[in-house]
Amino acid sequence: MEIKNRWFPYEKSIVINALYDTIEAIGLSLDSSNSVRGTLIVSDAQHTGSMRVALDAAGDTNRTQVHIYSHGVGKNIINVWGDVILDELSGTIERARHSDKNKTIQEGDIS
């Protein structure tokens, strides 16, 4: 079974929220989720295959590891979507981070 994974230097709640946005933005389908456990089942638009995405903070609240596994039967879509999800997730988090910085700067200018 192929597994894709990457560490992100953010707490689990930030990563999972960005993951929801990422999945929607790239046109994948969220089949089920458990936010408390940090697991999502995602499939491609045609539902020809699915992936399990699991978040693991491993006791460290300042960083989260994202694992992507094959799930169920059907086409192994990890080869197509695994790296795309991880790369887009990085971009989603960075865009949100820069947006928050700009918002904070603008609010500081108003005061």
Side-chain angles (χ1 to χ4, degrees), residues 7-8 12 22 25-26 34 37-38 41 54 62 65 69 88 104:
W7 282 99
F8 293 88
K12 188 175 173 180
T22 298
I26 61 178
N34 183 328
R37 287 185 60 202
I41 304 299
N62 294 321
Q65 189 170 23
Y69 307 91
E88 288 296 321
T104 302

Side-chain angles (χ1 to χ4, degrees), residues 34-109:
N34 183 328
S35 296
V36 175
R37 287 185 60 202
T39 58
L40 294 84
I41 304 299
V42 179
S43 61
D44 58 359
Q46 297 79 23
H47 295 280
T48 58
S50 63
M51 301 168 279
R52 178 175 173 262
V53 182
L55 281 65
D56 180 15
D60 186 348
T61 59
N62 294 321
R63 59 187 212 151
T64 303
Q65 189 170 23
V66 176
H67 303 275
I68 303 175
Y69 307 91
S70 293
H71 181 264
V73 296
K75 185 173 108 182
N76 183 0
I77 64 173
I78 290 177
N79 294 330
V80 175
W81 289 106
D83 289 327
V84 172
I85 291 170
L86 295 172
D87 291 344
E88 288 296 321
L89 179 56
S90 292
T92 299
I93 292 171
E94 285 304 308
R95 283 188 296 279
R97 211 169 69 89
H98 290 296
S99 175
D100 285 347
K101 280 184 182 179
N102 290 338
K103 183 179 177 185
T104 302
I105 291 168
Q106 289 173 353
E107 288 173 355
D109 291 342

